[in-house]
Amino acid sequence: MSSAYLHSTAAQRPLGSDDVVTTEHVGAELRRLRKAARQTQADVARIVGVARANLTQWEAGRYLPSAENARLLDDHFRAGNSLVDLVEAARSPAPAAAGTLTTGGSLLEVFRRAGAGLAGELIRDGDGRAVGWRHNLQKRGAHTTLATAYGISAMVVVGEPYLDLHSVVKDLYDRRSEFGWQGRSEGRRPEVTAAVVGALFQASTILTAEEGLAYLERSLDDRTRTRPFLLSSALRTSVRLAPDAPLTRRLTDDLLAARLDFDGVPLWGEKKEEGLVSPEPSTAHTARAVVALRELLRAGRGSDEISDAVDVATRWLVERVHPDDGVSEDLALPQPHGRPDVRVTIKHFTSAWVLQALAEAPQVPVARLSRALNSLWERYEPSRGLWAWGSGDLPIWMTLDAVTALRAVALAFPAPQFLPPSAAE
């Protein structure tokens, strides 16, 4: 890291070479540079070509600017690469603490393997231009909208610095329709639009927060209110774009209303519809809902009702003894022009979502954390640096979920056993 940052802030203890750099450090330095330049957030956002909402969330330490945006900000403030170095350090998770490993390796190496594995699967056209990723990395085939969004987001998490995603981002943006983005089937797909909007907003300036919210809202339909997966996916993206937007508040109310009563404990199942027979609470759906609501609390837009819902669900997740196995659900997608509905199977990497849900919870038992981590590592393919479903497929979303979970845990806990068991024996 450049020494320029280490001595730039009188209000903070200078960071040493062994300190863990967090998103909060980046936000504090970005805020310091802006104030030193006597500029408002609106000024800086306009000059570097981003939405003010982006800058607000970066300064608040909730998210990191992309490599491209970090460079623009560094150039604007004439920071001599110190801001670029700081963002890169914050994006790369810290190695496990001394004593955790006995045979070498680190979480950073796992992330590098994941980045290299995904980069190697990037599809290019006949001119060598990068166009995106396929859903199942184990098979040949064309790239898809949803898989490409997942690939972009995964690259943002692992901080892969050697891949130019400009053409991928532009191609993905150009695939938009009246109702946002669609998957391989027609009709409104809120989970696809949420994934694409989130990826574009993190990785580039091609999409404004206002535009992203508009597409996200148009992708929703009445059935969304019955499916916690769709609600939590849309809410998580909406919070990132604008935590105080009317859409964010509406999605929050709908997600809270989608809970079912299980012996006096309000939790999320796969769906909330009339006529359900003996529904059961779902670990995956409850964890996804907790992650989305925690985003809202982190953004300072929470309430007692939201906090209580998160606390109740988190306690249930902590006490849950059922294995954190992957689960599936079916979605019926209404098709235009009166055509029959199309059924799509959605799979959930339960352990990855449990880890994200527990990452900010107080007093999580080590045994519970380890159990979820072990489930996550059971699906890891070290030779590829990617994560596999039980069938042997390599769905790109599993790697995104895994690295997102590992990064969340790495930032929240001092020294958990991050690496797969074979690396720590």
Side-chain angles (χ1 to χ4, degrees):
M1 182 188 308
S2 169
S3 61
Y5 176 75
L6 303 184
H7 305 285
S8 64
T9 308
Q12 283 188 305
R13 175 181 64 81
L15 292 173
S17 59
D18 294 329
D19 286 330
V20 175
V21 179
T22 67
T23 55
E24 287 78 11
H25 289 126
V26 174
E29 175 63 356
L30 184 54
R31 188 165 56 252
R32 185 197 72 80
L33 288 169
R34 177 177 60 78
K35 289 184 175 180
R38 297 185 178 181
Q39 295 176 328
T40 66
Q41 288 184 337
D43 291 334
V44 175
R46 183 179 64 257
I47 291 170
V48 300
V50 301
R52 181 179 177 180
N54 290 94
L55 198 69
T56 299
Q57 299 211 45
W58 297 337
E59 286 194 4
R62 287 194 286 271
Y63 302 104
L64 291 171
S66 66
E68 174 190 354
N69 288 330
R71 168 59 59 195
L72 291 172
L73 290 165
D74 194 285
D75 290 344
H76 169 66
F77 291 121
R78 299 182 181 179
N81 287 332
S82 64
L83 190 58
V84 171
D85 291 346
L86 193 69
V87 170
E88 182 178 348
R91 203 183 305 281
S92 301
T100 302
L101 304 177
T102 57
T103 58
S106 69
L107 186 58
L108 178 58
E109 178 59 27
V110 171
F111 272 43
R112 285 173 174 163
R113 283 177 177 268
L118 291 172
E121 297 294 340
L122 182 62
I123 298 173
R124 298 180 181 274
D125 62 19
D127 298 324
R129 175 178 168 274
V131 293
W133 283 270
R134 60 180 62 85
H135 180 82
N136 183 0
L137 302 176
Q138 190 78 342
K139 298 180 179 179
R140 303 296 93 187
H143 66 291
T144 68
T145 299
L146 186 56
T148 299
Y150 289 147
I152 292 172
S153 293
M155 285 302 195
V156 170
V157 174
V158 302
E160 174 58 51
Y162 306 113
L163 197 61
D164 183 3
L165 294 176
H166 178 77
S167 61
V168 180
V169 166
K170 185 179 184 305
D171 180 75
L172 186 60
Y173 178 72
D174 290 342
R175 287 173 170 240
R176 64 195 185 281
S177 69
E178 178 185 359
F179 300 115
W181 282 261
Q182 298 176 331
R184 285 172 286 188
S185 58
E186 296 185 56
R188 299 173 192 255
R189 295 291 301 273
E191 80 283 11
V192 176
T193 296
V196 173
V197 168
L200 293 177
F201 195 67
Q202 290 180 86
S204 73
T205 59
I206 197 170
L207 182 78
T208 67
E210 293 76 12
E211 186 182 11
L213 284 171
Y215 280 123
L216 185 59
E217 186 158 19
R218 288 199 292 270
S219 74
L220 305 175
D221 56 18
D222 290 341
R223 72 191 168 90
T224 304
R225 294 181 175 179
T226 71
R227 308 303 289 244
F229 160 61
L230 299 179
L231 288 170
S232 58
S233 298
L235 175 59
R236 199 175 181 207
T237 296
S238 185
V239 172
R240 292 178 174 182
L241 268 60
D244 56 350
L247 176 61
T248 301
R249 293 194 292 271
R250 190 166 73 249
L251 287 169
T252 301
D253 292 341
D254 287 344
L255 183 58
L256 292 173
R259 290 175 295 175
L260 295 170
D261 188 302
F262 297 99
D263 297 325
V265 181
L267 299 167
W268 286 270
E270 178 182 314
K271 54 189 174 181
K272 184 177 182 179
E273 298 174 349
E274 296 293 334
L276 296 179
V277 179
S278 301
E280 295 184 356
S282 165
T283 303
H285 293 79
T286 296
R288 277 184 174 271
V290 167
V291 170
L293 293 174
R294 280 197 191 280
E295 291 265 7
L296 197 62
L297 293 173
R298 198 182 304 117
R301 296 297 187 273
S303 65
D304 290 342
E305 183 182 11
I306 295 171
S307 296
D308 289 345
V310 168
D311 290 344
V312 168
T314 300
R315 284 197 300 271
W316 182 80
L317 290 172
V318 169
E319 297 168 359
R320 185 76 164 148
V321 296
H322 190 277
D324 299 318
D325 296 333
V327 296
S328 303
E329 67 175 293
D330 289 332
L331 289 178
L333 305 179
Q335 298 298 290
H337 311 301
R339 295 199 299 269
D341 291 355
V342 172
R343 303 194 72 82
V344 174
T345 299
I346 305 294
K347 298 178 180 178
H348 303 282
F349 194 4
T350 305
S351 58
W353 288 99
V354 167
L355 288 169
Q356 292 182 67
L358 298 182
E360 296 184 36
Q363 301 178 339
V364 177
V366 174
R368 180 65 182 101
L369 185 68
S370 296
R371 184 153 52 87
L373 279 167
N374 287 338
S375 295
L376 181 141
W377 286 120
E378 286 175 359
R379 303 263 49 93
Y380 181 56
E381 296 293 331
S383 63
R384 304 284 296 271
L386 306 172
W387 275 259
W389 192 254
S391 62
D393 290 341
L394 285 172
I396 192 170
W397 54 264
M398 282 195 75
T399 293
L400 169 60
D401 290 354
V403 296
T404 302
L406 289 171
R407 190 178 193 284
V409 175
L411 293 174
F413 295 92
Q417 191 79 319
F418 289 127
L419 299 186
S422 60
E425 291 175 352

